């Protein structure tokens, strides 16, 4: 046997002599090609070559070169980074090795160099005359696939075949453990009694040779036979009278008697070695799995939390059963949530999903261990794609299944009955440990959550505004529980949900993402919870069809809980995170507990607000009633005033008629006498005084007649601003002589009103005269017009404001009564404002007084539009 150094030297010399790019020595072991030595080929290129040799077509091409013992060359597939155009293969006779050369081309002389190099590398295979025994010192016995591959290699070297496989018996089937030039055969399990050829070998314990012309050719148990294959032979591996395995070989030409005898002899020699290999492998597996219990006690039992327990259990089971396809499902204490533990790329991945409708639910209900030998034949759908055998073991605590442990393998019949019993024992201990750890974690988590909930409740318990309750609660929940987003939505009187509180580090980002949109999606998670009132916990929104992301914000985990008062949904609490698996079942319980307390607070706030609304309504009703009573009193006063005016009018008309004739006689004769008297007559002054007083009495009589004739009017649509301008023009000189500063403040958009123009001029003249008399030393006079709305209708208002002496509160109640005057010795009949009041009320309007002694008065005339 040449050393690695001598092989490397041989490859180097041959590469330099043949001008090749690179060269390797490859060996087919256990159904795969391994590089034993390489020259001028870096690690990246070696990996590329190894990947290329795993292709079935390339593998068959290489195996064909070994079986035929002849060199071959072919083109490198497109897209390869080997930087050569062709591959040249030179088999090493007597072995499963071949020299593979990379070059654009090789001349006949160069190919002869490589054939010579292959012959120099040739090593003698195990002699048929020597028993094939495993080398216990080399470690081969501890690697069953490698040892079986070496064993099959001895048959291949002795038969120059097209293909071969070696199968080990397990119960009633033969499992192919090694193959030659038939990659698809690896791992195939064949039931002995279902195939007539295997059944014959098992009964006779003698080899079977079948040619293409024989009827049984179509019943061959397994083999990727080519069109040129003519003969197939099956050699039993027997210990005593027991079949422990079989070797199948096929090729193009028939076997001679000598070759068959040599193969029978080889089969009898390797059978004890195969028995030792299989027995040692099974004992090692048995010891490893027995050690699993000890490892469980030492490692798993000391774990501090459920994640640690799952990680350590997966590590133990992966080493014991040589598979990474392990899953642990744990049901929550309330039976609503299922926690899914799996390993992906060496990392523990935990997902919380709803138990309802999950494929694990029937297994939990069934509560018994189950072993699937072949998923394809039994029609079982595994968790992992390509898994062929499955071991399902429930975790039972006090007779009730709290979870399920599932182990899968890509091989059929990977688990036996002993494995099933062992896992039942392990899971019974594991269930107790998990339940204890879970109860401890839930108790600690709930204690922390209750403490935080208490802090939140302390802040909102005395609030009476439900919007304020929601606003503060959302902020505190996000702050205390370290949530990225907490949103509280409440239902309004119209049955619509709106955000009343939002908190968390991502609250501003969500506000921007909403941009006028509603947070509650009717076809989403929030919509489902608001409709059904059932809580939802989602730890991977990508797997949840109901999740509706916002533009600019996409969560990976979400909890949504309804605020329910009996059967009435008052609102919802929604908590979200950008991290997957951010929430546990404890978080759901905490939010549900908080929701119950907030529901009570919000219900109390609703009742308080309804009580406040009732109080406001009663107060509004009281104010309205007072206003109506005041309006009624005002109306009664106006009726009394109108009755007074009517009575005074009737009396004034009678008095005026009675006094008018004598006054006319007095004024007439006094004027005639004055015309005849000379200017210097001694009684002329007295007679002139008689004439003046008679004229003044006639003026009073005229006013009384005017007062009595107020019912006579002619009304037209008129512009009140025009009337103001006319009256101001007539009184401007009088105003100026009284040292009064006049300002006008009139609304140009004033609508027309239906009035008697002359009567309205009289109203304004009376008000201006009164204002001037109230300012004997001069002052400020303002006349204005504007539109105002009162008692659900529009009015035109004309106001006269002065800065005079004002009117005392006691006199304000009598100011519009006939013959009442505040002018004293300044003169005045007490009829001006009474006439004004009568004209305004006759127009359907009102006149109002606002006066402060020594500061002035405002008279406002309100006329309906």
């Amino acid at each position: 046997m040449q050393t690695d150094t001598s092989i490397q030297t041989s490859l180097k010399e041959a590469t330099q002599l043949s001008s090749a790019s690179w060269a390797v020595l490859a060996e087919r072991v256990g159904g795969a090609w391994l590089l034993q030595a390489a020259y001028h080929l870096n690690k990246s290129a070696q990996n590329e070559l190894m990947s290329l040799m795993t292709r079935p077509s390339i593998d068959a091409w290489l195996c064909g070169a070994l079986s035929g013992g002849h060199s071959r060359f072919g083109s490198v597939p497109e897209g390869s980074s080997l930087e050569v155009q062709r591959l040249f293969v030179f088999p090493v006779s007597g072995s499963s090795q071949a020299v593979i050369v990379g070059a654009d081309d090789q001349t006949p002389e160069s190919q002869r160099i490589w054939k010579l190099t292959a012959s120099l590398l040739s090593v003698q295979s195990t002699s048929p005359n020597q028993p094939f025994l495993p080398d216990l010192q080399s470690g081969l016995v501890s690697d069953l696939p490698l040892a079986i591959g070496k064993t099959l290699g001895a048959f291949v070297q002795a038969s120059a075949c097209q293909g071969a496989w070696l199968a080990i018996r397990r119960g009633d089937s033969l499992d192919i453990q090694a193959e030659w030039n038939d990659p698809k055969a690896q791992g195939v399990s064949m039931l002995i009694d279902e195939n007539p050829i295997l059944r014959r070998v098992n009964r006779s314990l003698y080899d079977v040779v079948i040619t293409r012309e024989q009827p049984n050719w179509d019943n061959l148990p397994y083999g990727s036979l080519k069109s040129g294959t003519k003969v197939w032979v099956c050699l039993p591996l027997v210990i005593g009278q027991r079949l422990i395995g079989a070797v199948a070989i096929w090729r193009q030409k028939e076997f001679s008697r000598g070759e068959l005898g040599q193969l029978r002899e080889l089969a009898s020699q390797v059978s004890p070695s195969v028995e030792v290999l299989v027995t040692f492998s099974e004992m090692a597996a048995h010891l490893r799995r027995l050690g699993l219990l000890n490892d469980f006690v030492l490692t798993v039992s000391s774990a501090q939390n459920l994640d640690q327990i799952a990680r350590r259990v997966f590590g133990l089971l992966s080493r014991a059963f040589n598979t990474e396809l392990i899953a642990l499902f744990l049901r929550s204490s309330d039976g609503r949530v299922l926690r899914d533990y799996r390993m992906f790329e060496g990392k523990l991945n935990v997902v919380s999903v709803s138990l309802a409708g999950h494929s694990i639910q029937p297994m939990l209900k069934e509560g018994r261990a189950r072993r699937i030998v072949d998923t394809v034949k039994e029609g079982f759908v595994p968790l992992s794609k390509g898994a062929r055998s499955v071991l399902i073991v429930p975790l039972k605590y006090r007779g009730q299944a709290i979870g399920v442990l599932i182990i899968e393998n890509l091989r059929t019949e990977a688990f036996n009955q002993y494995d099933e019993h062992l896992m039942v024992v392990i899971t019974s201990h594991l269930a107790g440990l998990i339940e204890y750890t879970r109860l401890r974690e839930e108790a600690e988590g709930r204690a922390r959550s209750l403490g935080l909930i208490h802090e939140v409740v302390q802040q909102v318990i005395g609030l009476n505004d439900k919007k304020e309750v929601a606003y503060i609660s959302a902020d505190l929940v996000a702050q205390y529980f370290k949530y990225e987003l907490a949103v509280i939505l409440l239902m309004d009187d119209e049955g619509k949900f709106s955000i009343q509180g939002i908190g968390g580090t991502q609250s501003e980002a969500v506000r921007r993402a909403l941009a006028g949109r509603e947070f509650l999606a009717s076809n989403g998670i929030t919509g489902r919870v608001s409709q059904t009132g059932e809580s939802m916990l989602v730890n991977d929104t990508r797997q949840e069809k109901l999740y509706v992301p916002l533009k600019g914000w996409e969560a990976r985990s979400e909890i949504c809980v309804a605020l329910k008062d009996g059967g009435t949904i008052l609102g919802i609490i929604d908590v979200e995170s950008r991290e997957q698996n951010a929430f546990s079942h404890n978080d759901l319980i905490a939010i549900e507990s908080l929701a119950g307390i907030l529901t009570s607070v919000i219900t109390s706030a609703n009742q308080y607000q309804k009580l406040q609304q009732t109080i406001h309504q009663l107060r509004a009703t009281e104010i309205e009633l007072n206003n109506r009573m005041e309006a009624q009193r005002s109306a009664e006063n106006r009726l009394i005033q109108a009755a007074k005016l009517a009575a005074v009018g009737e009396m004034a008309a009678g008095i005026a008629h009675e006094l008018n004739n004598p006054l006319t006689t007095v004024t007439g004769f006094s004027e005639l006498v004055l015309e005849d008297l000379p200017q210097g007559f001694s009684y002329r002054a007295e007679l002139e005084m008689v004439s003046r007083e008679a004229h003044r009495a006639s003026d009073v009589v005229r006013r009384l007649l005017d007062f009595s004739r107020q019912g006579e009017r002619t009304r037209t649509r008129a512009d009140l601003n025009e009337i103001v301008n006319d009256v101001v023009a007539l009184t401007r000189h009088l105003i100026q002589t009284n040292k009064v500063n006049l300002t006008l403040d009139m609304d140009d958009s004033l609508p027309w009103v239906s009035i008697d123009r002359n009567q309205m001029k009289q109203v304004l003249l009376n008000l201006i005269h009164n204002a001037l008399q109230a300012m004997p030393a001069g002052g400020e006079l303002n006349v204005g017009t504007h539109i105002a709305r009162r008692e659900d209708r529009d009015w035109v208002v004309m106001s006269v404001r002065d800065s005079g002496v004002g009117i005392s509160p006691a006199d304000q109640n009598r100011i519009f009564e006939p013959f009442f005057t505040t002018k004293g010795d300044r003169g005045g009949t007490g009829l001006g404002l009474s006439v004004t009041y009568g004209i305004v009320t006759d127009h359907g309007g009102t006149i109002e007084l606002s006066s402060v002694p020594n500061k002035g008065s405002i008279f406002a005339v309100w006329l309906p539009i």
Side-chain angles (χ1 to χ4, degrees), residues 151-325:
T151 303
L152 180 62
F155 286 90
V156 171
Q157 295 169 18
S159 60
C161 59
Q162 284 182 312
W165 52 253
L166 190 154
I168 301 298
R169 183 170 185 174
R170 295 185 185 278
D172 295 331
S173 63
L174 286 171
D175 295 345
I176 298 178
Q177 299 290 326
E179 51 79 26
W180 174 260
N181 200 17
D182 189 8
K184 294 182 179 180
Q186 186 71 33
V188 173
S189 180
M190 303 170 291
L191 290 174
I192 296 175
D193 290 338
E194 289 185 359
N195 185 273
I197 298 174
L198 295 180
R199 191 165 56 245
R200 175 180 168 185
V201 171
N202 182 44
R203 291 176 180 176
S204 65
L205 299 179
Y206 199 75
D207 55 87
V208 175
V209 180
I210 299 175
T211 60
R212 184 174 287 275
E213 293 79 13
Q214 292 179 329
N216 275 341
W217 183 261
D218 295 332
N219 295 326
L220 295 181
Y222 192 86
S224 299
L225 307 181
K226 299 182 180 180
S227 58
T229 304
K230 293 184 178 179
V231 63
W232 182 90
V233 62
C234 183
L235 302 163
L237 302 179
V238 180
I239 296 296
Q241 296 297 314
R242 179 168 56 88
L243 180 71
I244 64 167
V247 178
I249 304 171
W250 57 92
R251 68 181 189 179
Q252 292 176 318
K253 63 178 182 179
E254 296 185 3
F255 294 94
S256 64
R257 288 188 178 181
E259 288 176 321
L260 286 175
Q262 185 179 1
L263 292 174
R264 293 190 190 104
E265 180 65 21
L266 181 59
S268 64
Q269 290 180 355
V270 302
S271 292
S273 300
V274 172
E275 174 77 357
V276 171
L277 290 170
V278 173
T279 302
F280 187 87
S281 176
E282 291 180 350
M283 289 178 62
H286 178 72
L287 291 174
R288 282 196 303 271
R289 292 170 184 175
L290 279 179
L292 188 63
L293 283 173
N294 184 54
D295 291 341
F296 177 82
V297 173
L298 294 177
T299 60
V300 178
S301 299
S302 61
Q304 299 298 314
N305 52 55
L306 292 179
D307 289 354
Q308 271 191 5
I309 291 176
R311 190 177 291 106
R312 294 181 181 183
V313 166
F314 284 8
L316 292 175
L317 296 181
S318 177
R319 292 191 299 271
F321 293 100
N322 193 29
T323 180
E324 296 288 336
L325 309 180

Side-chain angles (χ1 to χ4, degrees), residues 521-542:
S522 58
N523 59 340
I525 294 174
T526 51
R528 170 69 67 83
V529 173
S530 67
Q531 294 166 9
T532 63
E534 297 178 358
S535 303
M536 288 190 68
L537 168 61
V538 178
N539 264 318
D540 187 357
T541 56
R542 291 171 296 185

Side-chain angles (χ1 to χ4, degrees), residues 540-678:
D540 187 357
T541 56
R542 291 171 296 185
Q543 306 298 324
E544 177 56 58
K545 296 180 180 179
L546 288 176
Y547 179 71
V548 179
L550 290 173
K551 185 178 181 181
W553 166 258
E554 186 168 355
R556 284 287 176 265
S557 303
E558 182 175 0
I559 294 178
C560 193
V561 177
L563 302 174
K564 293 190 297 184
D565 182 16
T568 304
I569 297 177
L570 305 178
I572 59 174
I573 302 178
D574 189 72
V575 180
E576 298 184 9
S577 173
R578 291 178 299 179
E579 299 295 329
Q580 186 174 330
N581 303 315
F583 304 127
S584 66
H585 185 62
N586 279 340
D587 291 307
L588 176 61
I589 294 175
I591 297 299
E592 287 181 334
S593 301
L594 179 62
I597 297 173
L598 288 182
T599 298
S600 300
V601 176
I602 291 172
T603 300
S604 299
N606 283 337
Q607 293 175 350
Y608 177 81
Q609 289 176 348
K610 290 179 180 178
L611 179 60
Q612 290 298 312
Q613 290 174 358
T614 303
I615 293 173
H616 289 315
Q617 289 174 357
L618 290 174
R619 287 177 177 172
T621 303
E622 180 184 7
I623 293 172
E624 183 181 359
L625 182 59
N626 290 334
N627 290 337
R628 289 184 179 181
M629 291 173 66
E630 183 64 28
Q632 185 176 358
R633 282 194 296 268
S634 177
E636 289 175 353
N637 291 334
R638 285 197 296 270
L639 287 174
I640 294 172
Q641 186 72 9
K644 288 181 179 180
L645 290 176
V648 171
E650 293 177 1
M651 181 182 67
I655 293 172
H657 284 293
E658 292 293 331
L659 294 178
N660 192 45
N661 292 332
L663 286 174
T664 302
T665 302
V666 172
T667 55
F669 282 106
S670 62
E671 288 176 357
L672 290 174
V673 173
L674 286 173
E675 288 178 0
D676 293 336
L677 287 178

Side-chain angles (χ1 to χ4, degrees), residues 256-536:
S256 64
R257 288 188 178 181
E259 288 176 321
L260 286 175
Q262 185 179 1
L263 292 174
R264 293 190 190 104
E265 180 65 21
L266 181 59
S268 64
Q269 290 180 355
V270 302
S271 292
S273 300
V274 172
E275 174 77 357
V276 171
L277 290 170
V278 173
T279 302
F280 187 87
S281 176
E282 291 180 350
M283 289 178 62
H286 178 72
L287 291 174
R288 282 196 303 271
R289 292 170 184 175
L290 279 179
L292 188 63
L293 283 173
N294 184 54
D295 291 341
F296 177 82
V297 173
L298 294 177
T299 60
V300 178
S301 299
S302 61
Q304 299 298 314
N305 52 55
L306 292 179
D307 289 354
Q308 271 191 5
I309 291 176
R311 190 177 291 106
R312 294 181 181 183
V313 166
F314 284 8
L316 292 175
L317 296 181
S318 177
R319 292 191 299 271
F321 293 100
N322 193 29
T323 180
E324 296 288 336
L325 309 180
I326 306 172
L328 175 64
F329 297 91
L330 297 179
R331 183 173 59 184
S332 63
S333 55
D334 61 0
R336 293 187 298 175
V337 179
L338 190 67
R339 202 157 175 82
D340 182 350
Y341 295 82
R342 303 193 201 190
M343 294 293 291
F344 288 103
E345 299 178 354
K347 295 182 179 180
L348 181 67
N349 188 43
V350 186
V351 179
S352 294
V353 296
S354 175
L355 178 60
H358 198 282
S359 59
I360 297 299
Q361 194 172 20
M363 300 179 189
L364 287 169
K365 289 182 178 180
E366 187 178 13
R368 67 179 183 86
R370 184 180 177 188
R371 180 164 49 94
I372 290 87
V373 176
D374 189 337
T375 57
V376 176
K377 291 183 179 179
E378 297 186 33
F380 182 85
V381 180
L383 296 176
S384 306
K385 185 178 180 180
R388 294 296 301 274
S389 54
V390 182
L391 182 59
I392 303 171
V393 187
L395 279 70
K396 289 189 175 182
Y397 181 74
R398 294 182 178 178
Q400 184 177 6
I402 64 168
V404 176
L405 180 65
I406 300 178
I407 310 174
E408 297 178 334
N409 201 297
L410 299 177
R411 295 187 298 105
T412 59
E413 298 189 26
F415 309 106
N416 55 35
Q417 190 174 11
Y418 173 78
D419 296 331
E420 182 179 339
H421 293 164
L422 176 65
M423 288 310 302
V424 169
V425 175
I426 290 177
T427 53
S428 64
H429 293 287
L430 181 62
L433 178 62
I434 286 175
E435 190 65 15
Y436 169 76
T437 304
R438 183 167 62 184
L439 290 175
R440 177 172 54 81
E441 284 186 354
E442 288 183 356
E444 293 174 354
R446 290 178 184 179
R448 288 193 300 270
S449 299
L450 288 174
L452 296 176
I453 290 172
H454 177 73
E455 295 292 333
V456 175
V457 171
Q458 288 292 101
Q459 301 291 329
V460 302
I461 194 65
L463 301 178
N464 295 318
D465 186 349
K466 64 180 182 181
K467 294 182 179 180
E468 188 178 4
V469 171
Y471 177 82
I472 295 176
S473 297
D475 186 63
L476 293 177
V477 166
Q479 178 183 344
Y480 290 160
F481 287 88
K482 308 299 182 185
Y483 293 152
E484 290 182 88
L485 178 68
V487 180
I488 297 181
L489 296 92
L490 298 181
M491 180 183 290
D492 57 22
D493 296 335
E494 298 178 356
K496 295 182 179 180
F497 287 89
S498 60
I499 294 178
Q500 299 299 333
I502 182 169
T505 57
Q506 299 300 316
S507 58
E508 290 302 321
V510 172
R511 290 182 194 273
R512 291 192 297 269
L514 285 172
R517 292 179 52 191
E518 290 188 3
F519 185 82
L520 187 141
S522 58
N523 59 340
I525 294 174
T526 51
R528 170 69 67 83
V529 173
S530 67
Q531 294 166 9
T532 63
E534 297 178 358
S535 303
M536 288 190 68

Side-chain angles (χ1 to χ4, degrees), residues 91-106:
V92 178
S93 61
S95 71
S96 299
Q97 298 176 333
V99 176
I100 303 175
V101 179
D104 292 337
D105 197 9
Q106 289 283 280

